[in-house]
Amino acid sequence: MNPNVSLKSNLFTEAFTRNPYPAYSQLREEEPVSYVRLPDGQYAWFITRYDDALEALKNQSFIKDFTKLGDHADNRSSIFSENMLFADMPDHRRLRGLVSKAFTPNMIEGLRDRIQEITDELLEETAGQNQINLIDEFAFPLPIIVICEMLGIPAEDRDKFRIWSNSMIEGSNSKYAENLEQHMRDFTQYLKQRIAVVRESPGDDLISKLVIAEEQGDQLSEKELYGVVALLIIAGHETTVNFIGNSIMALLENPDQLKMLKNKPELIKTAIEETLRYNDPVEFSTSRWAREDMEFKGEFIKKGDLVIIALNSANHDPCQFKDPEVLDITREKSKHLAFGKGIHACLGAPLARLEGEIAINSFFRRYPNAKMIVDKNDLEWRTGMVVRGVRELPLLLHS
């Protein structure tokens, strides 16, 4: 392998974060499976082509539980690691089975009226304003209210989760790194107290169901319970915040597509699939490690090597998507990887899709003339190795 030092040195820079797609194009062409240095100093294999990404996501030789690596194992652990996202078979099947009952298509569809009600209430709160920050006033509160109501989290505690989840998602950012350990302790203590309350007096909420749930006679352990709840709270709203923000921004930047959606709101389902592909709110897959020495796409990967799939790069691979840099809300049967594939495909994808569908259609129905106030290049993008989204999205509601 002959590393492209010049190209790799430009990865994970501020310019890359604003617009990673030219770099992805070059990597797919020149070095589709490359060995790169991550922002935290670790090295990882970086997979950028669609077919390779799909294969890697499904390949169970790339494991999620690093404790199985023996001497190669990374000793770090956290409350966020004891869940199905970081488990391999058969543990993954057991953990996912315990949670999946709350995310059946029928149960998610049953939330439609409540999600619409929350959406309408949030938009009503913006009435009379001519300028808003879409993230703070709409994209963030909608999914956090939904997941907190599902979990039975009191309304007064919701804002805490923004601080805690930002810290965990963006731990590599110096702004959050110094407080990360304290935030993890605060989060853990909160969950301990909340679960203790639920054990004494269970209700109909999801935490209560997880506490008493049994799947083939097997209950969640205490650590697994914390891990699953942490995953649902953090992943359950973080990705949707960015999904809503990125989608509305993409449509505002492509007025022809937005006009088409306004005229034909029934296109919303294909529109959200296209905006997910076009600017995926999840930039990279979560970590995987090689279970053993292996060859993958002509590269020798050693046991214990870290593997990262660049989901946004795969979603812009011209070998899979015609004119991938073009937003086309009529694009059908999109096989994008925004929610992953294989056994670790996102459990909450149906909920995110429903929230996105309601949020986007409702927003543009209420504010058909909304416009971005600042140039996209002047927006501050979130850091970290998971989510892709802007910190703020200032919009003019009435032109």
Side-chain angles (χ1 to χ4, degrees), residues 298-321:
E299 301 292 349
F300 179 69
I301 299 179
K302 295 184 295 183
K303 177 181 178 181
D305 278 1
L306 180 59
V307 177
I308 300 289
I309 296 107
L311 300 174
N312 258 320
S313 176
N315 286 338
H316 280 247
D317 189 339
C319 294
Q320 178 64 29
F321 303 100

Side-chain angles (χ1 to χ4, degrees), residues 324-341:
E325 306 308 321
V326 174
L327 182 75
D328 178 6
I329 67 168
T330 65
R331 194 188 298 265
E332 295 185 3
K333 296 182 179 179
S334 176
K335 296 181 179 179
H336 64 73
L337 302 180
F339 293 118
K341 291 290 182 182

Side-chain angles (χ1 to χ4, degrees), residues 130-134 252 370-376 378-379 393-398:
N130 195 37
Q131 181 177 329
I132 65 168
N133 171 10
L134 185 86
L252 289 171
K371 293 183 179 180
M372 290 176 58
I373 295 173
V374 298
D375 187 276
K376 183 179 178 179
D378 294 327
L379 295 171
L393 185 57
L395 298 183
L396 191 66
L397 298 179
H398 309 282

